[in-house]
Amino acid sequence: MTTLSPTSAPAPRAGRATPASGTRTTGRARRSWTEHGLVFVAPFLVVYALFLIWPLVSGLGMSFTDVDITGVGGEFVGLDNYAEAFGDPAVWASLWNTVWFTLLSTVPLVVVGLVLALLANELRVVQWLWRIGWFAPFLLPSGVVCMLFLYMIYPSGFGLADQLLASVGLEPGIGWLTDERYAMLSIVVTTVWWTVGFNFLLYLSALQAIPPHLYEAAELDGASAWRRLWHITLPLLNRTTGLLLVLQVLASLKIFDQVYLLTGGGPDDSTRPILQYVYQQGFTGYRIGYASAVSYIFFALILLVSLVQPVLARRRRAEEAAK
């Protein structure tokens, strides 16, 4: 009588085929596809490629041609559009207006958002009402905000801004949107009132995540409210501040709506941003190829700015690891 050792495997039955290696590979690929959720995101990827990737590649191709808005032309001109853009004074003036608006708006938006969040975090009475009141303007469309300031705040002589000046004894009648000295500042004020709610909400979330025992320990040690703010709150908000600075700079560089609706880029193109110049060249000047070249130069600038946040985060992690 023959016996099988415990380690010997039974022979395969006749007529039963072993699975082919190709079938196993296909099964593993199918399981990997489903396990990673690619089946569920595939519709989004198709839409993303159709409405973002393809226009991005198509626009880059048009920037090397002289095509106009009617589709006429399309002849390859190489880097001529880019050379013209770099030598166009209107491009540099519009780019400076964009950078100037970014510099004027970024700091107030971050600082005011932090101050509002600190106040809302300390309030104990109808706290929800204060939160809604400060965040509500951010929910308004740009058209509503611009019409509000255009017809109620900034009209010379009878607008709310002039009435406030008259109430403190100053001379009203300032051309808030028609004077080059005040037009950009007026757009900045409108933008701060409109969008500061987003920064306020992020700061408030970060404040509520700070452990309360840190403040209790500092208070027991005799630290004043100012010292608790300076040595506990602000250092723990560094990451939020860095993120908001990058997001705010990127958002301010893409300004278009407020300027187009409030001043139309005037007076004398003193508030015209680079995106409005691209719009004018492409849709009023019919030079789609040239407008595409200008927009890709601006895209490269935004790409460089967006790389700042990962670099700062990596440097901060290295400093924390060194400690």
Side-chain angles (χ1 to χ4, degrees), residues 22-46:
T23 307
R24 289 196 300 269
T25 305
T26 305
R28 283 197 300 268
R30 188 180 296 110
R31 286 194 301 272
S32 174
W33 179 268
T34 11
E35 286 173 1
H36 291 85
L38 295 179
V39 170
F40 300 101
V41 301
F44 168 77
L45 293 178
V46 172

Side-chain angles (χ1 to χ4, degrees), residues 90-313:
V91 171
W92 294 106
S94 301
L95 186 59
W96 166 246
N97 291 336
T98 306
V99 173
W100 181 233
F101 170 81
T102 303
L103 294 175
L104 290 177
S105 62
T106 299
V107 174
L109 279 167
V110 173
V111 173
V112 173
L114 174 60
V115 172
L116 293 180
L118 290 171
L119 292 175
N121 193 50
E122 295 297 326
L123 290 174
R124 294 295 178 265
V125 181
V126 291
Q127 191 178 67
W128 62 271
L129 181 60
W130 289 97
R131 294 177 182 177
I132 292 176
W134 289 331
F135 181 69
F138 182 71
L139 304 176
L140 297 175
S142 59
V144 174
V145 173
C146 291
M147 292 302 105
L148 173 66
F149 277 80
L150 188 61
Y151 294 109
M152 295 184 62
I153 309 298
Y154 292 143
S156 180
F158 61 90
L160 180 61
D162 276 358
Q163 295 299 320
L164 291 176
L165 290 180
S167 65
V168 295
L170 298 178
E171 186 68 27
I174 292 177
W176 298 103
L177 299 175
T178 57
D179 192 324
E180 292 185 16
R181 296 173 297 174
Y182 306 108
M184 185 64 78
L185 291 177
S186 301
I187 296 173
V188 170
V189 171
T190 304
T191 305
V192 171
W193 180 85
W194 176 32
T195 61
V196 74
F198 177 76
N199 298 348
F200 155 72
L201 194 63
L202 287 186
Y203 267 130
L204 185 61
S205 301
L207 283 172
Q208 293 176 345
I210 298 177
H213 66 81
L214 296 178
Y215 295 107
E216 295 171 359
E219 191 173 1
L220 290 175
D221 290 339
S224 62
W226 172 254
R227 294 182 66 86
R228 292 196 299 270
L229 171 67
W230 189 257
H231 295 286
I232 297 177
T233 305
L234 295 182
L236 292 178
L237 293 178
N238 278 341
R239 292 187 177 181
T240 304
T241 302
L243 174 64
L244 282 177
L245 283 173
V246 175
L247 292 178
Q248 193 56 63
V249 168
L250 293 177
S252 297
L253 287 174
K254 296 183 291 184
I255 180 178
F256 177 80
D257 298 2
Q258 306 96 293
V259 176
Y260 187 78
L261 293 173
L262 289 175
T263 66
D268 296 329
D269 295 332
S270 61
T271 61
R272 181 178 62 183
I274 187 69
L275 288 183
Q276 185 176 352
Y277 183 72
V278 171
Y279 168 79
Q280 290 174 345
Q281 291 298 313
F283 294 95
T284 20
Y286 307 121
R287 301 185 62 194
I288 293 295
Y290 180 67
S292 299
V294 176
S295 65
Y296 274 89
I297 293 173
F298 184 56
F299 171 74
L301 173 63
I302 290 181
L303 189 62
L304 290 175
V305 174
S306 64
L307 294 177
V308 171
Q309 201 268 342
V311 171
L312 293 178

